[in-house]
Amino acid sequence: VKLMESGGGLAQPGGSLRLSCTGTGFTFTYYAMAWVRQAPGKELEWVSSIENNGRTYYADSVKGRFTISRDDAKKLVYLQMSSLETDDTAVYYCARDPGGYPTRGTDYEHRGQGIQVTVSS
């Protein structure tokens, strides 16, 4: 199993970024996928998940601002982040759930290396 994130970087408050994650080494269509993040000095936080059937879930802190989606043909999961706030600054990780239904937790056996997102003016 290999997960690789891309698309992070610097954004201004109120701006947007889109994260992508490629999942290889497993049957991508079968599994739910998730994004978690870790801000400086804080614990890992669950952000969003998407079931293998496309149903989505969001943490209250990002609901209405972030959108998770997936492209099974390309083995990609995305996180579109809009109306970014300074509190969104964190390392974002893509993770694979153990099955088709999301755990919505922070303890994942398979997780990417992470990508930095910094929101600052």
Side-chain angles (χ1 to χ4, degrees):
V1 175
K2 185 176 181 181
L3 301 168
M4 183 175 295
E5 303 93 345
S6 61
L10 176 65
Q12 292 188 337
S16 299
L17 281 174
R18 188 177 80 159
L19 303 182
S20 301
C21 171
T22 300
T24 57
F26 62 99
T27 305
F28 189 85
T29 56
Y30 177 76
Y31 292 92
M33 299 295 294
W35 289 95
V36 296
R37 68 185 181 185
Q38 188 164 26
K42 296 187 177 180
E43 295 185 351
L44 206 58
E45 175 191 19
W46 171 75
V47 174
S48 181
S49 294
I50 185 165
E51 287 185 29
N52 57 2
N53 63 10
R55 184 175 181 180
T56 58
Y57 304 83
Y58 299 95
D60 288 343
S61 58
V62 306
K63 197 172 295 183
R65 301 188 299 118
F66 290 10
T67 302
I68 190 171
S69 61
R70 62 192 295 159
D71 185 333
D72 288 344
K74 296 181 179 179
K75 300 182 180 181
L76 284 166
V77 60
Y78 303 101
L79 187 68
Q80 177 68 47
M81 305 183 293
S82 302
S83 301
L84 283 164
E85 303 170 353
T86 54
D87 285 348
D88 294 320
T89 295
V91 176
Y92 284 72
Y93 300 90
C94 171
R96 195 200 78 175
D97 272 289
Y101 188 78
T103 58
R104 289 181 276 173
T106 57
D107 186 16
Y108 293 92
E109 179 180 0
H110 300 289
R111 203 174 72 184
Q113 289 186 311
I115 194 161
Q116 178 70 45
V117 170
T118 301
V119 183
S120 174
S121 56

